């Protein structure tokens, strides 16, 4: 096991630590991620929630997914940094924004989702597995 993944928001009001290894890492080109990031995609490192420690209380905003589930954006109410996503239909999984890692170089994308919404000016590595929408779940 490598060292824990740590990170947080820009102002430090929200901090997290995860002792486990990621279960997935991806770039997402869905419209929600484009709007949230202000660019063509968002990048995530997903972990099993068990072993995740969060300090501070994130603000939350619930929205519907295209599979009619609820996705919750968790962000800092002070600085506005988006920190992680949680999903009502996958309560044991947390998708942490790769840019919030203390060492973002640890992010290694494994796939790209929502290529159907990707812009020509925001191209992902063609060697990555690509899915028109979300990959099939377990």
């Amino acid at each position: 096991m490598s060292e824990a993944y740590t990170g947080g928001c820009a102002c430090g009001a929200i901090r997290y630590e995860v002792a486990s290894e990621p279960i997935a890492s991806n770039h997402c080109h869905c419209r929600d991620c484009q709007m949230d990031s202000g660019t063509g995609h968002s990048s995530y490192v997903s972990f099993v929630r068990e072993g995740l420690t969060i300090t501070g209380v994130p603000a939350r905003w619930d929205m519907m997914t295209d599979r009619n589930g609820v996705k919750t954006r968790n962000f800092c109410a002070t600085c506005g940094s988006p920190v992680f996503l949680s999903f009502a239909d996958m309560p044991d999984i947390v998708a942490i924004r790769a840019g919030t890692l203390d060492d973002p170089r640890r992010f290694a994308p494994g796939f790209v989702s929502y290529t159907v919404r990707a812009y020509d000016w925001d191209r992902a590595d063609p060697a990555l597995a690509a899915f028109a929408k979300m990959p099939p779940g377990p």
Side-chain angles (χ1 to χ4, degrees):
M1 156 91 178
S2 65
E3 69 180 83
Y5 285 79
T6 60
C9 67
C11 73
I14 307 291
R15 294 287 304 159
Y16 61 80
E17 181 173 323
V18 186
S20 64
E21 289 299 313
I23 58 171
S25 296
N26 70 296
H27 296 303
C28 182
H29 289 275
C30 81
R31 189 65 181 131
D32 295 330
C33 286
Q34 292 169 350
M35 294 293 291
D36 192 36
S37 68
T39 191
H41 72 278
S42 292
S43 300
Y44 299 96
V45 183
S46 296
F47 296 90
V48 173
R49 185 180 291 271
E50 182 181 346
L52 170 68
T53 303
I54 299 170
T55 334
V57 180
R60 301 166 42 107
W61 183 54
D62 291 338
M63 58 193 314
M64 295 299 292
T65 68
D66 66 348
R67 293 181 179 174
N68 294 319
V70 176
K71 171 172 61 176
T72 302
R73 289 185 185 168
N74 295 266
F75 58 96
C76 179
T78 302
C79 68
S81 297
V83 181
F84 64 95
L85 295 176
S86 53
F87 305 88
D89 60 346
M90 296 184 293
D92 297 332
I93 306 298
V94 175
I96 292 176
R97 298 293 292 261
T100 69
L101 291 167
D102 286 339
D103 185 0
R105 295 172 297 181
R106 294 183 76 186
F107 172 69
F111 67 93
V112 180
S113 57
Y114 280 90
T115 58
V116 69
R117 301 239 174 85
Y119 297 112
D120 289 340
W121 50 263
D122 188 24
R123 298 185 188 271
D125 180 348
L128 293 174
F131 300 90
K133 292 193 175 182
M134 284 302 290

